[in-house]
Amino acid sequence: MSTLTAIVLAAGLGKRMKSTLPKVLHRAAGWPLVLFPIRAALEVGADAVVCVVSPEVKEGVASVLANELPGAPITIAVQAVPRGTGDAVSAGIDSVTSERVLILCGDTPLVRADDLRALIGALGDHELCLMSALLDDPQGYGRVLRDEQGRVVEVREHKDLRTDAERAVREVNAGVYVARTAALRTALGRITADNAAGEYYLTDAVALAAGGGGALAIAGHADNLLGVNDRSQLGQAETLLYQRIARRHQVAGASIRGDARIDAGVAVGVDAVIEAGVAIRGKSSIGAGAAIDVGCVITDSQIGERVLVKPYSVVTESRVDAGAQIGPFAHLRPASEIGEGAHIGNFVETKKTRVHAGAKANHLAYLGDGEIGEGANVGAGTIFCNYDGFQKHLTVIGPGAFIGSDSQIVAPVRIGRDAYVATGTTVTKDVPDEALAIARVAQENKPGYAPRLKARLAAAAAKKKKP
Ligand code: UD1
Ligand code: MG
């Protein structure tokens, strides 16, 4: 039997997002919104999570969860029609076997484990404890109404407020609750849709618990409770998340400068330096002592220790091993693997190419579908001609080989160990180990020809200018 189950409400229509994508699947700092409360619940020890969704998003949410939290104890319950938060909890509570239940909203990504721990700790013998916050602008939120002794009486929704005094109440309901399961079940059975929205409000369970003196509200920090109902709040929440993530890495010993945006799922090693204008996205990791310079975009990639990624480089679904140097202005496309100490310089594009330790391609090259051996040197302007219009073909360059500048390597082809390809060669046949490959038109010099050529060209230009 589980001791604490979390119910995450994610079946609302999210109309205010004006989107074809369900609200809880919109991303902030790299994660779908619904993932934040689920992770927070798991972090505070919920041993089961029930995620309540609408029939239309069931599959989408299930696939996100299977992808992002494989094996986690999460089940999905369907709320057939979005008839309010109370009805949504009813849809989820059937599968709850624990004595206590934690309720979270799928649209509050800033909710923090520390606040949840305080909330759970405060429940004591009460029936229900909700989290509140003091807001300067409480507009739109449900207000926590208290009696003269300061005891919680009820939560009244904004639409249902009756007096100016009620509207002036700045303590709002954050939409996060912990309750005794049995009492909550009873309360849910008694909630009606008799209100301005015609919905079954979960907040009515607060008044029912308060009737017996069993409701409590404790205040959390306002920033942590922001609910995402529209795109502007999504932007606000994301800004706060990026700040929070940066602070976490800074405290752990990395330098995060300026407005660098590091997604929630990124790992950063100590002494890493991440400059302004960098975006590190998805499931990426940055090794200890690595430096990611201004303007780089790194997505789903593993960057090793002491790697230097110079300004404005783009790295996607790739791996860069310890001590390698990338950029400036390099583009590592998916399945690039850059070995230890290798150099990929400016205006070099790689794709599905493995560059072994110490190999170098310092300037202006396209290296697609290839393997470049240890210590090989690929000159400026080298192109792997990997595509014949129908199929991709492989280029293999042996260890220690030298590829002269402006060479075209027409795949499929193999260049042997310590081979030498002369500048400007079009390689169409395999090159044996230690061989020299040269394929270019022989040079011819015509003595004294330059002044004669210039005179002729000048005369032609002058003739053209005359009216
Ligand atoms: C709710 C609270 C309000 C609180 C605010 C905090 C109620 C009645 N009101 O209002 O007191 O101040 O959150 O952010 O609870 N949902 C469902 N099924 C439904 C309706 C909603 O699953 O039928 C889900 C939504 O997906 C969302 C959450 O419940 O994740 C909250 O719903 P929302 O419509 O955003 O409620 P608020 O108006 O924000
Ligand atoms: Mg909301």
Side-chain angles (χ1 to χ4, degrees):
M1 197 174 106
S2 72
T3 57
L4 178 70
T5 303
I7 298 182
V8 177
L9 307 183
L13 293 174
K15 276 189 200 145
R16 288 167 277 181
M17 295 296 279
K18 301 202 168 63
S19 175
T20 51
L21 185 70
K23 174 164 83 175
V24 295
L25 296 184
H26 277 263
R27 285 173 187 264
W31 281 350
L33 292 177
V34 70
L35 214 57
F36 290 92
I38 291 179
R39 279 186 182 266
L42 292 170
E43 204 182 321
V44 299
D47 42 20
V49 177
V50 182
C51 187
V52 180
V53 300
S54 64
E56 305 83 63
V57 310
K58 187 180 174 203
E59 255 165 56
V61 171
S63 93
V64 160
L65 295 179
N67 225 352
E68 304 279 352
L69 290 172
I74 306 171
T75 53
I76 291 187
V78 173
Q79 183 191 19
V81 182
R83 293 187 299 178
T85 46
D87 182 62
V89 173
S90 298
I93 207 159
D94 285 348
S95 49
V96 175
T97 55
S98 59
E99 197 204 326
R100 292 168 311 160
V101 57
L102 177 67
I103 300 170
L104 299 158
C105 289
D107 64 353
T108 54
L110 288 140
V111 64
R112 287 193 343 171
D114 283 350
D115 285 335
L116 296 183
R117 266 186 217 107
L119 189 74
I120 294 163
L123 182 65
D125 293 329
H126 293 81
E127 281 181 19
L128 181 146
C129 184
L130 70 101
M131 200 185 302
S132 69
L134 282 179
L135 297 188
D136 291 335
D137 177 14
Q139 180 86 8
Y141 287 89
R143 308 295 207 283
V144 178
L145 304 183
R146 295 177 183 263
D147 65 15
E148 293 87 56
Q149 279 80 45
R151 288 176 302 214
V152 174
V153 177
E154 66 173 300
V155 169
R156 192 166 300 161
E157 288 310 292
H158 184 85
K159 282 181 193 160
D160 297 297
L161 296 173
R162 288 182 280 233
T163 65
D164 285 344
E166 284 174 1
R167 282 180 205 102
V169 171
R170 290 172 52 228
E171 187 182 15
V172 305
N173 169 27
V176 180
Y177 320 76
V178 62
R180 306 230 154 260
T181 312
L184 182 64
R185 271 208 179 92
T186 311
L188 289 171
R190 293 169 56 194
I191 291 175
T192 66
D194 181 18
N195 52 54
E199 288 187 357
Y200 293 87
Y201 286 165
L202 174 60
T203 44
D204 286 357
V206 176
L208 289 166
L216 196 69
I218 67 160
H221 192 285
D223 275 356
N224 304 336
L225 311 171
L226 179 69
V228 173
N229 297 308
D230 59 29
R231 308 273 183 143
S232 135
Q233 287 169 326
L234 180 64
Q236 247 178 298
E238 188 167 64
T239 301
L240 290 167
L241 282 167
Y242 279 132
Q243 285 168 358
R244 188 189 282 179
I245 292 164
R247 208 172 310 126
R248 170 160 58 83
H249 294 306
Q250 285 162 337
V251 168
S255 288
I256 315 295
R257 298 226 168 91
D259 57 353
R261 290 155 67 101
I262 303 173
D263 275 0
V266 172
V268 179
V270 322
D271 283 329
V273 178
I274 296 170
E275 289 287 350
V278 166
I280 304 179
R281 301 166 167 170
K283 290 183 177 136
S284 294
S285 61
I286 308 297
I292 315 297
D293 214 329
V294 173
C296 292
V297 180
I298 295 176
T299 307
D300 294 327
S301 294
Q302 277 57 58
I303 307 294
E305 294 183 3
R306 291 170 283 99
V307 165
L308 193 53
V309 186
K310 298 177 193 173
Y312 301 102
S313 296
V314 175
V315 180
T316 308
E317 292 170 34
S318 291
R319 200 190 78 217
V320 181
D321 292 341
Q325 296 193 17
I326 308 296
F329 301 101
H331 187 187
L332 307 191
R333 290 170 51 208
S336 297
E337 295 177 26
I338 313 302
E340 270 189 46
H343 287 191
I344 298 295
N346 46 190
F347 308 109
V348 173
E349 174 182 346
T350 63
K351 188 222 62 174
K352 209 174 175 185
T353 285
R354 179 152 187 212
V355 179
H356 286 265
K360 291 188 174 127
N362 274 328
H363 335 263
L364 300 158
Y366 173 60
L367 312 173
D369 298 295
E371 171 136 13
I372 299 171
E374 203 171 315
N377 192 311
V378 176
T382 296
I383 305 291
F384 287 4
C385 308
N386 61 327
Y387 186 49
D388 59 15
F390 298 90
Q391 287 187 71
K392 304 282 169 63
H393 301 283
L394 191 68
T395 294
V396 179
I397 294 177
F402 181 92
I403 312 298
S405 298
D406 198 25
S407 295
Q408 301 98 56
I409 318 291
V410 183
V413 77
R414 305 178 83 85
I415 294 169
R417 176 181 47 78
D418 292 318
Y420 195 106
V421 172
T423 291
T425 292
T426 301
V427 177
T428 53
K429 292 186 296 206
D430 286 359
V431 180
D433 291 352
E434 297 188 345
L436 167 70
I438 180 163
R440 60 190 183 211
V441 176
Q443 182 172 328
E444 191 188 345
N445 289 339
K446 300 191 174 186
Y449 199 91
R452 273 157 54 202
L453 177 65
K454 285 184 188 168
R456 201 175 77 208
L457 296 173
K463 198 175 164 193
K464 208 176 177 191
K465 259 195 196 157
K466 275 191 190 151

